[in-house]
């Protein structure tokens, strides 16, 4: 998936909603969707606050190196960053037991 948006803090939330919708279509777990939305916000914070950046491109794709992981890439005028969001680890029964 690729989107191109005008750079601005108000467009970050819109981009996060688009990313969540795409990942739901891909049947990603809710925890991975939330993690990916946080990564999107982190990657877009600097370019959206930088003067002179008028737009950004965001790409979401399956990681070519880690099965189940999502690769998030942000491109602006001359800058490119990316991060991978892994599939959440399986929960064990101990995860649900109360602390003693």
């Amino acid at each position: 998936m690729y989107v191109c948006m005008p750079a601005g803090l108000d467009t970050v939330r819109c981009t996060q909603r688009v990313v969540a919708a795409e990942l739901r279509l891909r049947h990603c777990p809710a925890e991975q969707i939330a993690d990916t939305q946080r990564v999107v916000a982190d990657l877009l914070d600097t370019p959206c606050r930088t003067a002179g950046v008028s737009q950004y491109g965001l790409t979401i794709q399956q990681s070519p190196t880690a099965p189940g992981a999502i690769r998030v890439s942000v491109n602006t005028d001359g800058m490119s960053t990316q991060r991978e969001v892994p599939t959440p680890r399986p929960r064990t029964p101990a995860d649900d037991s109360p602390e003693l």
Side-chain angles (χ1 to χ4, degrees):
M1 175 197 83
Y2 174 80
V3 294
C4 183
M5 299 286 283
L9 295 176
D10 54 334
T11 63
V12 173
R13 290 190 59 80
C14 179
T15 303
Q16 288 176 302
R17 287 191 299 271
V18 170
V19 166
E22 172 68 18
L23 295 182
R24 279 192 294 275
L25 288 173
R26 295 181 185 205
H27 304 287
C28 292
E31 185 178 344
Q32 188 177 33
I33 294 171
D35 291 346
T36 304
Q37 287 180 299
R38 281 189 288 279
V39 166
V40 166
D42 288 346
L43 291 177
L44 292 177
D45 185 61
T46 300
C48 287
R49 292 181 187 275
T50 302
V53 175
S54 60
Q55 64 183 15
Y56 59 84
L58 181 122
T59 304
I60 300 288
Q61 61 189 20
Q62 291 293 101
S63 168
T65 57
I70 301 295
R71 180 173 285 174
V72 180
S73 304
V74 172
N75 298 299
T76 61
D77 306 322
M79 183 190 83
S80 179
T81 57
Q82 67 181 18
R83 266 200 247 165
E84 291 196 359
V85 181
T87 303
R89 69 174 178 80
R91 293 180 59 83
T92 65
D95 291 337
D96 295 326
S97 64
E99 296 283 329
L100 298 176

